[in-house]
Amino acid sequence: MEDLDSFREENVTGREKQKIERHLSECKQCREKYNLMVDLENYLQKEDYVGEMFTERVVDSLKENKNAGRRNYMIGKRRILKPVFSGILICAFVGSAFYFGSKYDAFKRNSVTEPENLKITQATGSPTAAPARNETVNILLYFPNQSAEYVVPEQRTVEKRQGEKLEEVIFRELQKGSERAGYGSVIPEGTKLISSEVKDGICYLDLSKEFVENNPGGTAFEMVLINSIVNSLTELSYIEKVQFLVEGEKREVYTHMAFNGPFERNESLIRTPENTPEAIEERIRELGNKVLAAFKNKDLQSLSLLIHPDKGVRFSPYTYVEVEKDVVISAEEMKEILDSDKLYTWGFYDGIGDPIELTFAEYLEKFVYDQDFLNADEVIYDKVFSRGNTINNVFEVYAGSHIVEYYLEGTPEYDGMDWRSLKLVFEEKDGNWYLTGVVHDQWTI
Amino acid sequence: MSISVCRELTVKIRKIIFKLFGLSGVYIFKILLGCGEMHEDMAQIKRIQNGDIEAFGELVDRYKNRLYSFLVKMTCSRQDSEEILQEVFIRAFNNIHKYNDRWMFSTWIYRIAINTYKSYMKKARRFQTVPIDDNVADKHPVLEGNPENVFVRNERQAEIISLINRLNDKQRIPLILRYIRNFSYAEIGEILGISEEAAKMRVLRAKKTICNKYMERHRGDI
């Protein structure tokens, strides 16, 4: 292959070249490979042309954004101005505190009978009982998860100002962004709520033009953004649908999706914080490390707790999982297995084809934790990688489960062929994730 | 059309130089070519840094098709590529003050393109419903020649696309970079922030993976 490569790249001497040419005329396999390389290069070198007016579009959008660019410049300056501003603010605050403090004293002296605490906790969704003072309300907000695929509920107790509508409170809180780490705000920067009005269960939300202009774009993002707002607002019993208006006008499309009709609540996008893809990924990665540590320390008592209670765990020596033939060990069996002399047939050695007849303890050392996987070069989650020559069927066999792979790169000494990988397969049962498969992988012939 | 002719010409000149002066000659030729382009870029960038959007337009014109070709090979979707490309140029413009001539402009903008591609894919991952393989194969049809050959060649191309797509990004990106503009391994290394050796290794591994996969699929026919 290397020779073939240098030959293609014309880094060979005349004699080598002749030799390779001769070999190519004889060996069908190499010829096949060579032709594949030629076709591959031809495909990759093919030029594609972007649509007309592309440059104009870019330039126009930049010109439009020039003002936005200036604003960015201001933000740069703000770094210097910030301390100055905050200084002024503190002074103002202290000053006004003194002022109002003395006023409040006077007020107190005048009306001693006024009740001191006016805070009323009010349940979600009853806008009618509006006392004259600020009150606290419980609201349920939905924020996009990190990958912007779902929305996740977040309960909040907030102050409702006098005369403020609940929709406005919700919008204001949504703009603040989620309190959970890594979630952030979703409503495009600078968006102002011009007005909101509820008529026949439809909430007409009139937003400023920034809602469209500062949208970071992307169909997926748009979808969760809309649902974040709509689902939060439809938590209120008197709102069923939300109609967006931009500067008082209906828009045909937002940036991708149709935008002229009212939106209904979409339950299918709601996930609890524990069930977002990233939360599951985090759990699986954590469990994977626990399993590896148990393998490493031969701590099979702890391991047995991580094994699927009904299905046990299947061990595959090379990538290809043989559902019927591979050895499956139950959680119960695992506890005692380390001292057992029982020989299992785990599969067949690659190349020689002899059966792999080993005790569990031996197999563990040769085909499970045969490398320091806890310090893997790469830890890959739920992704298909075909590395060796063996077919990788792990995602077909273990459909619906999550897989974490630990990969150690090969060393240059062996031309990278001494790489190793270990895949751990986890399946869900009653809200918990359990180990159901251990797939070992290495270079095969 | 003129671009491909131009490139063919360059390749031919390279071959002649290689015959006359050997490998070092090719490198010198490449450097000379690169210098001309770099010089042109630099003058333009100075103007852009002073806020000249029209000058940026010229730069966009010069780079759009090569970046677009790259993105189409990466995403297998013209629509996505165009969206990403627009974002690339906007990012480039907004960050042009950060650019300095320590890098070649071409490596700098490719790096932006790769980052933009990655963040775009992250966002759009779950919403992709169109099987991407067929998508580009259809839009890239081979039209010349007799119909039977055309069919075979289109099939072949679809297979090649699917082989490339099966690679992980670590191998796929260097491979595509290697052939899209005949980037040298040193340049690929610079774009990806890895050594020249590592870049070479990854491209070679990518080819090996593709060959192995291909052989596996066609074990019966060969």
Side-chain angles (χ1 to χ4, degrees), chain A residues 2-64:
Chain A
E2 265 107 304
D3 289 344
L4 218 56
D5 205 50
S6 330
F7 178 67
R8 276 298 300 157
E9 304 205 344
E10 301 184 337
N11 292 336
V12 287
T13 62
R15 263 184 63 194
E16 279 172 330
K17 195 175 171 182
Q18 278 180 0
K19 217 169 120 190
I20 294 169
E21 271 169 1
R22 208 174 325 122
H23 178 73
L24 278 180
S25 68
E26 286 160 4
C27 173
K28 199 180 172 196
Q29 267 204 9
C30 287
R31 201 160 61 231
E32 204 55 51
K33 282 187 186 173
Y34 180 77
N35 288 338
L36 181 66
M37 285 302 111
V38 175
D39 288 347
L40 176 78
E41 283 168 34
N42 283 342
Y43 163 68
L44 286 178
Q45 282 177 346
K46 204 183 294 173
E47 199 118 7
D48 295 284
Y49 300 98
V50 69
E52 274 174 41
M53 305 295 285
F54 176 81
T55 312
E56 288 78 359
R57 270 207 313 274
V58 172
V59 170
D60 285 349
S61 84
L62 283 175
K63 277 182 186 160
E64 264 174 42

Side-chain angles (χ1 to χ4, degrees), chain A residues 112-123:
Chain A
V112 205
T113 47
E114 196 92 345
E116 286 213 344
N117 191 356
L118 281 169
K119 278 187 179 175
I120 300 162
T121 305
Q122 192 192 32

